[in-house]
Amino acid sequence: MATEEAAAGGGPERGDGPGPRLGLSTGALFPTPTEEVPDIAARLGLTDLEVMLQSTSEYAPAFCRSLRRRCDEAGCRVHAVHLWTPYHPLFGPYPRRVADARDLFDRGIEGAAALGAAVVVWHGPDRKEVPGPAAPERALAVLAERGRACAAAGLALGIENVSWALLQNVRDVAALAARLPELAAAESRVGFVFDPFQAAEAEANPFMVLAAMGERVLDVHLSDLREGDRAARHLPPGEGDLPWPALLRAIAGVYRGPLMLEGVVGNDPARLAAVVDRLRPILSEVAAVEADPCAGTPPAGVLEGIRLFNEHLFYEAHEVIEAEWHAERRPVRRLYQGILQIGVGFLHALRGNHAGALLLLADGIEKTSEFRPACMGIDTARLVFEAQACLDRLRFLGPARVDEFRPEDAPEIRGDRLGIGE
C-alpha cells in the first residue's frame, strides 16, 4: 500500500532500501506471456516487477489473482502495473467509448490492488487528443479524478514522460509538478514515472526532466536509444548511447525504489542477463558513495573528461563532464562544474574569444578552489595555481594578442587515483 508521502507526490514505501535496485517490466520480454515472466525474473535475481497489462483479458480480476500467485511462488513482488494506453481514450469525442475506457481503467486499478502494487502507470493523453488552449486544464481534471480513484484503492497514479504524450518535455513536467500539491489537497495521489529514453527521444535533457520531477518520482523505466538511428529505440540499457552511470547516480538522488528494465529483449533472457551484469556494478558504486564529497574516485565520465582535457580536447571534455555535473547531487558537483568551466575557458581562448575566456576561467577557478588541496584524488591545488597563471597571462595578452595562447600552455589535471597524471 502506498504511503502518505506517495499521496503528496513522493515515492512509494518500497523505496526504503539502501539504494536503487533493478526490477523488470513484463513488457521487456514481449511476446513472452505475462504470467511466465515472474519465473524468468526470479532466475535473474530480479524480484521487483512492473506488470504491463497487454490485453483486455489481463485486466480481469481472475487473471490478476492468478498472476499474484505466480509472483508469490517465484518470490517476486509487483511494484507497479502499467496500463495499456490505447485502451484508455479518456479524452475522445464518443461518450460511450470514454465510459468504457474509464471502466477498464477502474479494472486496472482493481487488478493493481490485487497484485499488491503501489503504483498505476499511465502515459496520459496523446497530445492530439487534447489540443487547444484549454488542454492543460482539461487534462489536469482527468488526472485528478483518476488519481482519486487510485487513492481510494490505496495506490498512486504515476504519469510517465513520453515523447508523444502529456509530459513531453521539461516545461510540461514542471507545470504538472507545480499543481501536485493542489491535487494532493483534493485527495488525489499523482506523481511521476521517469523514462530517460523517452526524454531523449523527445529531444529533452533527461537530467533536466528528472530535476523537474524532483522527489515526486514513483517509478523508473530503463531503456536506451541510439542517436541518429530512429529504428534503434527501446533498447536494453547499454546497447545505445545514454550515459547510464551518470543517469543512475542522478536517479539515486531522488528515488529509492526499483528501476524497471523495459528495453525489449523479446524471447532472449540471456540478453537480459547481460544488461543485469552491466548495470549492477554501477548501482553498487552508487550505493557505496560516502558522505564525504571528496572520498572515493571520480566517476567514469569525469575521468574521461579529464583525459580529454589533458589532450586539449576541451569541447569534448565539456560534453562528458556536463553529464556528470547534471547527475551529481552532492556538493562535489561544483568541482565538476569548475573543471568544466576551466576547460571551456581555454576553448574560448583558443578560439579568440578573450572576454569569454576570462569569464569562464575565473568562474571555474573559484569553484575548483573550494576543493583544495585535493578532492577525489585530483590535485586541485595544482590545477588552481596553474589555471590562475594562464588567466593572468591572458589578461596580460589582451584581446589583440589572445591568439598567442597555445594549447600546450594549458595545464594538465594531475592526481593520484586511477591514472590521472603522475
Side-chain angles (χ1 to χ4, degrees):
M1 183 171 290
T3 62
E4 293 305 314
E5 183 185 10
E13 65 180 304
R14 287 177 183 168
D16 58 0
R21 58 196 180 276
L22 294 178
L24 178 65
S25 166
T26 60
L29 292 168
F30 179 85
T32 302
T34 299
E35 62 272 22
E36 295 180 12
V37 174
D39 290 333
I40 298 171
R43 287 196 292 271
L44 293 169
L46 302 173
T47 56
D48 294 281
L49 298 180
E50 176 171 304
V51 173
M52 180 170 283
L53 301 178
Q54 304 198 77
S55 70
T56 55
S57 64
E58 293 187 359
Y59 281 70
F63 177 83
C64 292
R65 289 193 295 269
S66 175
L67 182 60
R68 174 67 181 269
R69 288 193 294 272
R70 294 288 292 266
C71 290
D72 290 344
E73 290 167 1
C76 295
R77 58 184 180 178
V78 176
H79 170 74
V81 168
H82 196 318
L83 304 183
W84 187 247
T85 295
Y87 292 159
H88 305 289
L90 299 183
F91 299 84
Y94 196 67
R96 187 175 293 118
R97 186 176 294 170
V98 171
D100 289 348
R102 183 174 283 103
D103 288 344
L104 189 59
F105 200 123
D106 287 339
R107 288 171 60 191
I109 294 173
E110 181 183 352
L115 284 163
V119 182
V120 172
V121 178
W122 185 39
H123 292 163
D126 187 310
R127 284 178 169 258
K128 297 176 183 178
E129 292 182 283
V130 282
E137 291 302 319
R138 184 180 172 205
L140 188 70
V142 173
L143 292 186
E145 187 274 327
R146 291 290 80 196
R148 282 192 294 272
C150 287
L155 305 165
L157 177 62
I159 306 300
E160 183 179 355
N161 64 287
V162 178
S163 59
W164 46 263
L166 178 68
L167 302 183
Q168 186 179 78
N169 52 41
V170 177
R171 182 182 59 191
D172 299 331
V173 172
L176 179 56
R179 304 294 293 271
L180 289 185
E182 173 187 332
L183 299 188
E187 299 183 349
S188 180
R189 293 180 175 176
V190 180
F192 296 107
V193 178
F194 175 56
D195 190 323
F197 151 72
Q198 291 286 356
E201 189 166 70
E203 299 184 351
N205 184 314
F207 297 99
M208 294 181 68
V209 169
L210 180 63
M213 291 179 177
E215 296 186 357
R216 305 174 185 87
V217 179
L218 303 172
D219 191 25
V220 172
H221 294 162
L222 303 184
S223 63
D224 214 333
L225 83 169
R226 197 168 297 134
E227 293 182 10
D229 183 357
R230 297 195 66 83
R233 56 190 305 276
H234 265 310
L235 301 172
E239 293 188 11
D241 299 318
L242 290 178
W244 288 106
L247 280 169
L248 293 175
R249 281 199 310 281
I251 292 166
V254 297
Y255 175 74
R256 293 290 180 178
L259 311 175
M260 298 302 173
L261 296 171
E262 199 184 44
V264 178
V265 299
N267 294 313
D268 188 359
R271 191 177 174 197
L272 185 59
V275 177
V276 172
D277 290 342
R278 185 181 304 132
L279 295 188
R280 274 192 174 145
I282 300 173
L283 289 174
S284 295
E285 291 179 11
V286 169
V289 170
E290 301 175 10
D292 179 1
C294 285
T297 55
V302 173
L303 289 176
E304 174 64 9
I306 289 172
R307 184 189 68 78
L308 293 167
F309 183 110
N310 289 346
E311 292 181 3
H312 309 135
L313 299 172
F314 300 115
Y315 178 81
E316 292 80 358
H318 164 272
E319 292 295 291
V320 294
I321 295 176
E322 185 176 42
E324 301 290 356
W325 173 65
H326 280 301
E328 186 61 68
R329 289 295 177 266
R330 298 174 298 153
V332 78
R333 73 193 306 263
R334 284 180 62 82
L335 173 59
Y336 303 167
Q337 188 181 20
I339 295 171
L340 182 156
Q341 289 180 317
I342 290 172
V344 174
F346 291 138
L347 179 65
H348 281 308
L350 294 169
R351 290 180 174 178
N353 180 1
H354 185 262
L358 299 189
L359 178 64
L360 269 296
L361 280 170
D363 284 351
I365 290 168
E366 179 183 0
K367 291 183 177 70
T368 305
S369 295
E370 298 172 14
F371 298 89
R372 290 180 295 178
C375 183
M376 302 181 103
I378 299 170
D379 189 342
T380 50
R382 178 173 180 164
L383 176 59
V384 166
F385 177 82
E386 295 182 347
Q388 183 64 51
C390 290
L391 176 58
D392 293 341
R393 180 163 182 257
L394 284 166
R395 284 173 174 155
F396 172 77
L397 290 174
R401 297 173 57 195
V402 67
D403 59 346
E404 295 181 24
F405 188 83
R406 297 286 184 265
E408 55 269 22
D409 296 331
E412 289 189 354
I413 299 175
R414 303 295 183 95
D416 62 2
R417 298 179 196 167
L418 299 185
I420 309 174
E422 295 294 334

